[in-house]
Amino acid sequence: MNELGLRSKLRARPRAQGRVLAPAGLFKRLPTSAGLYFPFYHDVLGEYAGDLRRHLLAFRRLGPLISWDTALDVLAGRHPMTGPMFCLSFDDGHLSWRDVVAPVLRELGAPATFFLTSGLVGQPGNLTWQDCRDLAAAGYHFGSHTVTHPRLADADDDAAVREILDSKKEIEDQLGVEVRDFAAPYGNPAVDFGDRDLRTVREAGYRSFATTLREPMHPGDSPMWIQRQGLHPAWPIWAVRTRVHD
Ligand SMILES: [Zn+2]
């Protein structure tokens, strides 16, 4: 099997994927020096609720779980960086955010940002607008993750503007909150988005742009180039260490 085939097969079996990644984590450790980390997840099925809790507890032993607002304050030098700090987010629009993620976050008192693909709302397996309003009312923060989850690099100029602007407007209209944070689908600058998209996001009035590059961040780094570490809750901590490390 070629590497791509193996990778997509492993993605469908996250526990196996975690075991494959884990040996590389032997030579890495969870962060102990000062740095801002942005671990993020997608769907968290009920069977993984305890695993998500375990990940978040492992982070919290090392440093605080902070909100997106506080993370941007750290980058801007308005809030001290006290050591490793962790800012959680979740992408797309999964129903499990309501049923699995929010209860774990509530139990731990952890803030989080939900990057919503507005066109997924109301689709099977995804949240309704009322679910989103309930999460916003519970104090969770919402950002935009486009309307239809395209690879922006493949979209023409008009389509890119629609994806970036219409999702913002619809989430704002539906939730009655300002949406100022954007996460690019897939998120790799080499293949998934370009300078035009960064410019469009800035012109649309967003204050932050999240990628899926993985390096930790520090005061002075740009909020228009947030680096996040994609994780699956089924992964053992050894596998998490391949993504979140000093
Ligand atoms: Zn996504």
Side-chain angles (χ1 to χ4, degrees), residues 42 91-92 117 145 149 185-186:
H42 294 91
D91 282 11
D92 300 342
T117 301
H145 194 44
H149 207 280
Y186 313 104

